[in-house]
Amino acid sequence: QAERGWAEVAVAESAEGFDPGAWDGIFAANAALEGVIASLPPEGEPRPAVIGYDLVPRNAEALRAGRIDCLISQKPEFQAREGIMLLYRSVVLGELPPPRVEAPLEIFLKENAPA
């Protein structure tokens, strides 16, 4: 059985003053991702792996360009449709909503990023 190591984790509200050279990997949520990308060293220099949320156009472009290594899409179309259907079933049909709704995620790498 392999020994498991510990990872140092830091949480920040923004990428202001961020030093990417101090980390092996970065997970940035939503708007912070743009600041992280801007602070990365130039192409060809060592940099941490970068993972973020949302397959919005600017993130997809950075993924295809190799500035982001992985994007997690929360399937906003599915979430919106499911929310509207739950509201309809509750208000119109009088059904109680389920206590939990499973929502699939999509993981995008450079190789499977939409064009």
Side-chain angles (χ1 to χ4, degrees), residues 17-64:
F18 171 70
D19 175 17
W23 303 98
D24 294 325
I26 300 165
F27 174 76
N30 302 326
L33 188 55
E34 197 167 321
V36 168
I37 293 168
S39 68
L40 291 174
E43 193 172 327
E45 291 186 25
R47 68 167 183 81
V50 178
I51 299 171
Y53 271 128
D54 298 332
L55 192 66
V56 296
R58 70 178 183 271
N59 290 353
E61 182 181 324
L63 179 66
R64 287 189 296 272

Side-chain angles (χ1 to χ4, degrees), residues 14-111:
S14 75
E16 190 175 321
F18 171 70
D19 175 17
W23 303 98
D24 294 325
I26 300 165
F27 174 76
N30 302 326
L33 188 55
E34 197 167 321
V36 168
I37 293 168
S39 68
L40 291 174
E43 193 172 327
E45 291 186 25
R47 68 167 183 81
V50 178
I51 299 171
Y53 271 128
D54 298 332
L55 192 66
V56 296
R58 70 178 183 271
N59 290 353
E61 182 181 324
L63 179 66
R64 287 189 296 272
R67 303 292 285 162
I68 296 174
D69 298 290
C70 177
L71 281 173
I72 301 168
S73 174
Q74 300 175 72
K75 298 189 90 168
E77 307 85 15
F78 170 83
Q79 290 184 13
R81 182 184 178 286
E82 190 65 22
I84 290 169
M85 290 305 295
L86 286 170
L87 183 63
Y88 164 77
R89 288 183 192 118
S90 176
V91 173
V92 177
L93 303 178
E95 296 176 4
L96 289 175
R100 181 183 185 132
V101 175
E102 298 289 330
L105 298 176
E106 291 180 319
I107 305 217
F108 291 98
L109 307 172
K110 185 177 184 177
E111 294 78 13

